[in-house]
Amino acid sequence: MLNKAKKNIFNTMFRIIRYILILLALMLCLFWLNKNSAWFKDKMEYTKLFFQTIGGPNSSPDDIYNDIVDKGLGGNPATTTKPSTVKAYTSDTDKPKTTAKISIDGIIYYANLERKKAGLPALVKNTKLNRSASAKIDDMFSAQYFEHNSPDGKTAADLAKQFDYKFQIVGENLALGIFDTDKTLVQAWMDSPSHRANILNAKYTEMGAAVGIGDYKGQKQWMAVQHFAKPLPSCKEIDSVGQKKIDEEKLALETEERELQKMAGIIESDPSTSKEYINNYNTRVTAYNESLNKLRTSIAEFNKTIVEYNNCVKA
């Protein structure tokens, strides 16, 4: 019995070692293919969906989508040596044809559908954010990168400012891969916790989007961008001209105060000071005090506008 038990243990260990060796051989084979086979590497890249992160209509956009096409992308991607220039589509006027059903309105529709499920208000489409998202796609294809920070350091905030969008907060979702529909694209974002957090961020009130197809790292790929933001409220801007005037008046009064102090010192130290000098001093003191009171009033009014602006922004 003892010999039989030892034999069973030996056979079990032998089978385990054999399986481990087979697994190691398979892993080495895959590693070699990934390093040396361009065909295998292309296939692997083709099947991946890459993501990065940095926070309605009665009918489905699948029925009313705006088609988008690969415009002017000639040549075989596998032999392309220079990145193609890609147009990212952002408006209802761009309606060329392709097989995929991806559109800006569709992305916003399905994003808002997810917000509705979460009890959140819908995001309003903003054309300036559409343009900033479009600029992001064009830049990523042109410079062949897929990051929130461009090679020259630009972020979503910089792009929003570039298109004169004034915001309190801004966020960005990126996607790279082969997409079939708006719904699958948004669902892929929702499956990623960081992207889901952007879509369901209650602080955002507006959104822009853009999609484009082009050559990326030798493969034909879709890129998609969502830009989320909360705009600055329509608050009365702080009067920078008024602030400059206050600073100038304050400086002038400080200079006058030093002169009056010198005059007062002369009057106090020299009993023979002329009446004309003393009258001149008193006249200048009166004018100084009047100007000082006006300046205090101007400062109080200016500070009030700052408080009102800050309260408006926080609202």
Side-chain angles (χ1 to χ4, degrees):
M1 289 292 292
L2 184 60
N3 288 336
K4 186 176 181 180
K6 288 183 177 179
K7 186 176 181 181
N8 289 337
I9 293 173
F10 176 79
N11 288 337
T12 300
M13 291 180 63
F14 178 77
R15 283 196 296 271
I16 292 173
I17 293 172
R18 183 175 61 184
Y19 292 147
I20 291 174
L21 290 174
I22 292 173
L23 180 61
L24 287 173
L26 180 61
M27 291 175 66
L28 288 172
C29 181
L30 291 173
F31 178 78
W32 184 90
L33 286 171
N34 190 54
K35 288 289 185 182
N36 299 282
S37 172
W39 177 86
F40 181 81
K41 187 182 295 185
D42 288 344
K43 290 300 180 182
M44 290 295 292
E45 291 292 330
Y46 186 82
T47 58
K48 289 180 181 178
L49 178 64
F50 298 93
F51 286 107
Q52 294 281 342
T53 190
I54 70 161
N58 294 322
S59 57
S60 166
D62 279 346
D63 301 322
I64 58 171
Y65 68 92
N66 300 319
D67 294 307
I68 299 168
V69 72
D70 164 11
K71 218 182 218 183
L73 299 177
N76 185 345
T79 59
T80 301
T81 57
K82 185 178 180 181
S84 301
T85 299
V86 177
K87 172 70 169 64
Y89 297 97
T90 58
S91 72
D92 296 338
T93 59
D94 295 316
K95 296 181 180 179
K97 298 293 181 182
T98 191
T99 56
K101 296 182 178 181
I102 304 177
S103 69
I104 287 79
D105 286 341
I107 292 173
I108 295 175
Y109 171 86
Y110 284 108
N112 278 332
L113 201 60
E114 296 297 336
R115 288 176 67 88
K116 184 178 180 181
K117 293 177 185 176
L120 295 170
L123 297 169
V124 178
K125 181 171 71 172
N126 183 279
T127 55
K128 290 182 178 179
L129 291 177
N130 278 352
R131 292 171 190 156
S132 66
S134 176
K136 179 67 175 179
I137 284 184
D138 289 341
D139 191 51
M140 288 194 296
F141 271 122
S142 178
Q144 292 288 283
Y145 74 95
F146 184 65
E147 299 287 345
H148 288 291
N149 288 7
S150 69
D152 59 357
K154 283 186 178 180
T155 64
D158 296 315
L159 290 171
K161 291 175 183 176
Q162 179 181 324
F163 290 94
D164 196 32
Y165 183 90
K166 295 179 175 62
F167 58 87
Q168 297 182 56
I169 53 173
V170 66
E172 179 180 77
N173 277 352
L174 305 178
L176 168 69
I178 304 300
F179 313 118
D180 294 325
T181 65
D182 306 311
K183 186 176 181 179
T184 56
L185 170 57
V186 172
Q187 185 58 53
W189 270 322
M190 290 296 294
D191 291 339
S192 166
S194 54
H195 297 84
R196 177 187 179 92
N198 265 345
I199 292 174
L200 300 183
N201 190 329
K203 294 180 180 179
Y204 295 135
T205 59
E206 295 185 344
M207 175 185 164
V211 292
I213 187 171
D215 293 336
Y216 178 75
K217 307 289 186 183
Q219 290 286 335
K220 191 64 64 66
Q221 300 276 17
W222 281 99
M223 280 193 184
V225 175
Q226 290 175 308
H227 276 177
F228 307 91
K230 181 178 181 180
L232 280 175
S234 299
C235 302
K236 185 179 179 180
E237 294 291 337
I238 295 173
D239 185 7
S240 58
V241 175
Q243 183 176 14
K244 183 179 179 181
K245 185 179 179 181
I246 288 174
D247 292 338
E248 291 173 349
E249 290 177 356
K250 183 179 178 181
L251 183 61
L253 283 176
E254 288 173 351
T255 302
E256 179 66 4
E257 182 183 10
R258 288 192 294 270
E259 290 297 319
L260 290 173
Q261 287 173 349
K262 289 179 183 180
M263 293 179 72
I266 293 172
I267 293 171
E268 291 174 358
S269 62
D270 186 1
S272 64
T273 304
S274 68
K275 186 176 181 180
E276 182 182 359
Y277 188 88
I278 294 173
N279 289 338
N280 181 38
Y281 168 78
N282 289 334
T283 300
R284 290 178 66 171
V285 166
T286 302
Y288 170 85
N289 288 332
E290 289 177 355
S291 298
L292 182 60
N293 289 331
K294 289 180 180 179
L295 178 61
R296 286 171 177 167
T297 301
S298 298
I299 291 173
E301 292 176 351
F302 180 76
N303 288 340
K304 184 179 178 181
T305 64
I306 293 177
V307 172
E308 290 174 349
Y309 178 81
N310 290 335
N311 290 337
C312 178
V313 169
K314 292 177 182 178

